[in-house]
């Protein structure tokens, strides 16, 4: 009887009974690649990529100056074999610095293995590109 009263007054978990440390149920953080920087002369694209299970998001800013022409940013996703999965681009900006967010699909198990980030001219022609691998 004494045991029943003791158990009735306290809520015990299996972890407490086994002496395990308490844990909280938090979602795992997605890997990121900070410091993305694709310069071309005095213009650039920069930001941070977040790698999700079926897409990659690039959030940052790009810069266009009047002497260099207009600019846009494009990002491409690739699988582990190097096959391009998808691509997305920003609107063209002229003579300004603007923030952007691109979410590019990578609809394969595990998501993209790498991305290519490009700074384009006003006709969407790649001026400079860099490849970044999933961390």
């Amino acid at each position: 009887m004494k045991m029943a009263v003791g158990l009735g007054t306290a809520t015990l978990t299996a972890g407490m009974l086994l002496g395990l440390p308490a844990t909280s149920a938090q979602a795992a953080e997605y890997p990121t690649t900070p410091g993305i920087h694709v310069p071309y002369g005095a213009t650039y694209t920069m930001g941070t990529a977040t790698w999700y299970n079926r897409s990659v998001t690039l959030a940052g800013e790009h810069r266009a100056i009047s002497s260099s022409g207009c600019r846009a940013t494009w990002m491409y996703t690739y699988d582990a074999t190097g096959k391009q999965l998808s691509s997305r681009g920003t609107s063209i900006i002229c003579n300004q610095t603007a923030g952007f967010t691109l979410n590019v699909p990578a609809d394969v198990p595990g998501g993209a293995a790498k991305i290519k980030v490009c700074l384009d001219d006003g006709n969407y022609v790649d001026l400079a590109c860099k490849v970044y691998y999933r961390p």
Side-chain angles (χ1 to χ4, degrees):
M1 182 113 172
K2 185 175 182 183
M3 184 179 215
V5 172
L7 289 176
T9 59
T11 304
L12 299 175
T13 66
M16 294 166 110
L17 292 172
L18 296 174
L20 299 174
T23 60
S24 61
Q26 293 180 347
E29 290 188 26
Y30 293 103
T32 61
T33 303
I36 289 177
H37 187 241
V38 183
Y40 186 81
T43 62
Y44 60 80
T45 288
M46 58 191 274
T48 298
T50 303
W51 304 77
Y52 299 102
N53 293 333
R54 298 279 177 163
S55 67
V56 181
T57 296
L58 177 62
E61 69 177 26
H62 50 187
R63 179 178 187 221
I65 56 174
S66 60
S67 63
S68 297
C70 300
R71 297 287 184 258
T73 297
W74 274 83
M75 185 171 72
Y76 306 82
T77 55
Y78 297 87
D79 69 10
T81 68
K83 177 186 171 196
Q84 183 180 322
L85 300 171
S86 193
S87 65
R88 297 281 189 275
T90 65
S91 299
I92 295 171
I93 62 165
C94 301
N95 204 24
Q96 64 178 311
T97 300
F100 68 87
T101 300
L102 291 173
N103 183 270
V104 183
D107 198 12
V108 295
K114 68 181 179 179
I115 57 173
K116 180 171 72 170
V117 179
C118 298
L119 182 63
D120 289 8
D121 68 12
N123 295 312
Y124 293 108
V125 174
D126 295 344
L127 298 171
C129 298
K130 286 189 179 179
V131 173
Y132 297 89
Y133 291 87
R134 185 181 194 104

